[in-house]
Amino acid sequence: MLSTRVAFVLRVQALLFFVASVGLIVQPLNIAHALGFASSSLSTELSWTLRTLGIALLIPALLAPLVAAFAGERGLRQASSGMGFIMAGLSAWMPFSPGRWSSSKSVVEALFLVLACAYFFALRGRRRNR
């Protein structure tokens, strides 16, 4: 049961990261504007930084389904606990990001928090079957 739950959460997270990376690569300034960056701060440097972030997000987006498909239970537990803490950290860090607070930023914050909770729920009861 643990393997199924963790693999599902990893695949959902990979899908969300893939969609985010495509958006950051194709339209980085629209994403920055939606996240509350001021129009005066939108520059070519910011655009290339966000594109680079989009390319970097491709790494977990492509590796998470591989881990979900081929890792054993121990590897799934380690990946899930690591990603759970990373998502919780991102959720805690998001309110301190620059720019005004917008509905898009709230959605991203909620997604980080939901993913963190999903990873920790997937780990719940892992010792029950031992």
Side-chain angles (χ1 to χ4, degrees):
M1 191 66 165
L2 168 82
S3 302
T4 309
R5 289 191 309 234
V6 171
F8 177 73
V9 176
L10 278 169
R11 287 182 178 117
V12 168
Q13 176 251 329
L15 177 67
L16 291 173
F17 275 19
F18 183 74
V19 169
S21 69
V22 168
L24 284 169
I25 292 169
V26 175
Q27 293 291 332
L29 294 180
N30 287 346
I31 302 291
H33 185 67
L35 289 176
F37 283 92
S39 297
S40 61
S41 67
L42 302 180
S43 65
T44 307
E45 291 84 7
L46 179 63
S47 174
W48 279 103
T49 302
L50 290 175
R51 280 196 174 108
T52 305
L53 177 64
I55 292 169
L57 276 178
L58 284 175
I59 296 168
L62 296 176
L63 289 179
L66 292 175
V67 170
F70 298 114
E73 183 178 348
R74 182 176 180 183
L76 286 173
R77 277 189 282 129
Q78 290 174 346
S80 180
S81 61
M83 289 306 297
F85 283 112
I86 289 169
M87 290 294 125
L90 284 172
S91 176
W93 191 250
M94 191 68 171
F96 302 108
S97 65
R100 61 178 169 74
W101 196 259
S102 64
S103 60
S104 300
K105 194 180 279 191
S106 299
V107 168
V108 171
E109 169 75 20
L111 283 174
F112 288 157
L113 191 59
V114 165
L115 279 172
C117 291
Y119 277 118
F120 293 137
F121 175 77
L123 286 170
R124 188 181 60 98
R126 68 177 184 212
R127 301 201 189 279
R128 181 177 26 193
N129 295 330
R130 288 189 169 197

